[in-house]
Amino acid sequence: MTQTPPVHPTASTAQGQTPFDRLRRILPEESGVNDKGELTIGGVSVRALADEFGTPLHIFDEHGLRRQMRSLVQGLRERWPNSEVLFASKSMPIVAVYAIAASEGMSIDVAGLGELRLAIEAGVPGDRIYMHGNAKSDEEIALAVAHGVGTVIIDGTDDIARLDAALAVGQTQRILLRVIPNIDADTHATQATGGETSKFGVTFDQIAEIAKLVSHNSKIELVGLHVHIGSQILETEPFAEAVRRVTSLGEFPVYDVGGGLGVNYTPTDHAPTVEEYLDAVVAAARGLLPADTKLIIEPGRSTVARAGVTAYSVVTTKQTGRRFVAINGGMADHLDTALTGQQYSPILADRPTAMPDTIAQLVGRQCESGDLFVDNAHLPHPQIGDIVVLAATGAYAYTLTNNYNGALRPAVVFVGGGEARLAVERESLDDLLRLHRVAAEHDWSTQI
Ligand SMILES: *Cc1c(COP(=O)(O)O)cnc(C)c1O
């Protein structure tokens, strides 16, 4: 069980930097190395967290997360006072993050009954909730109306009919109309939402017709337009272009220009900073909009990605046609690489400054060859029991967890100031079995 893999002759790191140095700007802000040489986050040893809470484990740097939220909210407010920053909650929909976002002055964007319910659970006031969705159900709309959701983003005329039916006489609902911006941002096809054939929103020439329909309805108040061009966008120009497009479609009190700012996952990534992004959005808005217009952005990934990491344990290593290091997670808790090809950076919690000497395929334990975490991972002598930390998994990781291969969803823990608090419990086998009508209730073995 203590077999170690042979050393790969060509493994090396750039400029003699340690893995910790190379990943310093990818790892959470409050990352460090303690006097035992272990990786720490929020002043807590990742090894100690893994021992206490088990692996796979999502770990969030609460101070770093709060600072990032402030830089978005305050950064936009300084540049455009009549503004609002919505946390695009699908990127990390857990009660703790809804509560933290609300406490840092963000409003919340939800899509679907579950996200709405989680936001309500976190105590987010209705007037700070924005409800999205390209296929909203009657039940969702009813809950939105009952909770007093401030703004519903309309995706087509069916939404208007449903809302009209849900609203009592005398009740009113603010809406934004989502329009297809016709911008093909340079990102993975599954993450582009702004192209002509997008399933989200209505076309430019449908706006007037919908505005007219709504103007005859005293319960529904159209306050503005919404666009969202896609996700993991690594340049600022498409955001400026989105502002120019949406503001050319008529005069409204509110423009919501969506989310999509990309983040750094590997040392070779250079995403725009929050400041560069806000500068581009606001510069585009300045020439086109009166200063009292409300400007809204909806950052998801860029709000949470860097604050989160995932810790896994090495289960096995082997050399066949290639060298493999297999960890105790996979597509069930980390779907993003299989879904979008996004590359992530690994580091070992016990020796973050040790120089890599091994190149291996870092793979998961689900039964798919595509269940790959990192292609050609550079690691220092990886062995059974090592804790592998994947950096920048705060967005689109926990939210995409599933029970493939009967996997159990990981726990989520928040760290800061040397303390850890559990935010979401690890799923148990009882949780997994709870929904199934098992043998005691029905005998599935004898029916033909
Ligand atoms: C997903 C989504 C966002 C957030 O996108 P990020 O790339 O995570 O910033 C914002 N608005 C809408 C409508 C979305 O669907």
Side-chain angles (χ1 to χ4, degrees):
M1 289 294 282
T2 54
Q3 169 206 6
T4 56
V7 168
H8 192 288
T10 61
S12 66
T13 32
Q15 292 103 41
Q17 279 190 311
T18 70
F20 180 77
D21 293 335
R22 292 184 73 228
L23 294 184
R24 191 66 200 82
R25 67 186 186 89
I26 314 293
L27 286 164
E29 282 178 26
E30 305 262 330
S31 302
V33 178
N34 66 13
D35 49 14
K36 289 194 222 160
E38 298 165 338
L39 179 68
T40 63
I41 297 173
V44 185
S45 155
V46 173
R47 161 59 69 182
L49 290 169
D51 288 347
E52 182 176 353
F53 297 101
T55 56
L57 180 67
H58 283 277
I59 303 167
F60 271 82
D61 162 17
E62 185 171 341
H63 297 177
L65 176 63
R66 286 181 181 275
R67 274 195 297 269
Q68 181 73 354
M69 290 173 167
R70 277 173 215 179
S71 72
L72 286 157
V73 173
Q74 292 170 6
L76 184 58
R77 192 180 299 142
E78 279 159 18
R79 290 166 175 82
W80 195 276
N82 188 11
S83 60
E84 201 167 348
V85 180
L86 316 187
F87 170 51
S89 70
K90 73 174 187 285
S91 59
M92 186 55 187
I94 69 167
V95 170
V97 175
Y98 285 98
I100 290 171
S103 80
E104 293 298 342
M106 298 180 95
S107 294
I108 305 293
D109 116 15
V110 298
L113 198 62
E115 289 182 1
L116 177 56
R117 188 64 191 80
L118 289 164
I120 293 171
E121 190 68 21
V124 181
D127 62 2
R128 284 170 61 192
I129 299 179
Y130 286 68
M131 173 115 170
H132 277 282
N134 73 305
K136 301 179 195 74
S137 68
D138 294 336
E139 196 185 2
E140 280 161 39
I141 296 221
L143 180 59
V145 168
H147 187 63
V149 160
T151 309
V152 176
I153 291 93
I154 295 296
D155 203 78
T157 48
D158 290 344
D159 274 350
I160 295 171
R162 282 203 166 93
L163 253 184
D164 181 57
L167 291 162
V169 178
Q171 248 183 329
T172 57
Q173 178 65 59
R174 264 194 321 273
I175 63 165
L176 293 172
L177 176 61
R178 179 164 181 168
V179 295
I180 302 170
N182 281 332
I183 295 176
D184 278 308
D186 183 17
T187 186
H188 191 274
T190 59
Q191 295 170 320
T193 58
E196 219 176 347
T197 55
S198 172
K199 75 170 179 179
F200 303 101
V202 303
T203 61
F204 292 173
D205 41 339
Q206 291 169 320
I207 298 171
E209 184 193 326
I210 290 177
K212 193 166 159 216
L213 176 72
V214 171
S215 71
H216 297 306
N217 189 322
S218 60
K219 296 190 233 170
I220 298 176
E221 186 194 359
L222 175 63
V223 295
L225 301 181
H226 170 280
V227 290
H228 172 64
I229 57 175
S231 200
Q232 185 57 6
I233 293 164
L234 294 170
E235 47 196 350
T236 58
E237 177 47 31
F239 297 111
E241 183 57 23
V243 172
R244 292 192 286 270
R245 289 279 167 96
V246 73
T247 54
S248 71
L249 301 173
E251 279 176 37
F252 292 91
V254 182
Y255 293 91
D256 178 338
V257 298
L261 175 61
V263 303
N264 299 319
Y265 288 98
T266 71
T268 53
D269 291 342
H270 293 281
T273 63
V274 166
E275 289 70 28
E276 288 164 347
Y277 160 73
L278 295 176
D279 282 345
V281 167
V282 171
R286 255 189 208 120
L288 299 165
L289 293 178
D292 61 353
T293 309
K294 182 164 199 173
L295 192 58
I296 298 176
I297 59 170
E298 302 174 327
R301 185 186 306 268
S302 58
T303 307
V304 289
R306 186 179 173 191
V309 303
T310 319
Y312 297 94
S313 303
V314 174
V315 179
T316 182
T317 66
K318 72 176 177 187
Q319 173 81 52
T320 56
R322 300 195 72 167
R323 167 151 303 283
F324 289 96
V325 172
I327 54 183
N328 63 344
M331 285 163 71
D333 61 80
H334 181 85
L335 193 57
D336 197 31
T337 297
L339 194 63
T340 72
Q342 181 60 56
Q343 295 300 300
Y344 284 80
S345 300
I347 188 167
L348 296 190
D350 296 310
R351 37 187 193 290
T353 57
M355 289 310 210
D357 57 10
T358 305
I359 296 180
Q361 296 302 90
L362 185 66
V363 297
R365 54 183 308 283
Q366 264 80 61
C367 302
E368 299 279 339
S369 291
D371 185 28
L372 176 69
F373 278 93
V374 182
D375 190 22
N376 285 321
H378 291 228
L379 296 165
H381 217 66
Q383 303 168 60
I384 289 173
D386 278 345
I387 303 294
V388 175
V389 173
L390 217 57
T393 60
Y396 301 110
Y398 186 78
T399 185
L400 291 170
T401 55
N402 58 75
N403 293 123
Y404 187 36
N405 275 156
L408 303 174
R409 289 184 173 79
V412 183
V413 68
F414 276 67
V415 290
E419 309 272 331
R421 39 181 185 155
L422 189 62
V424 185
E425 280 182 44
R426 181 176 305 286
E427 209 170 23
S428 67
L429 286 172
D430 284 345
D431 294 326
L432 185 68
L433 293 172
R434 194 165 40 87
L435 303 178
H436 299 260
R437 295 287 181 255
V438 287
E441 206 167 322
H442 303 299
D443 181 356
W444 297 101
S445 65
T446 55
Q447 307 287 315
I448 301 269

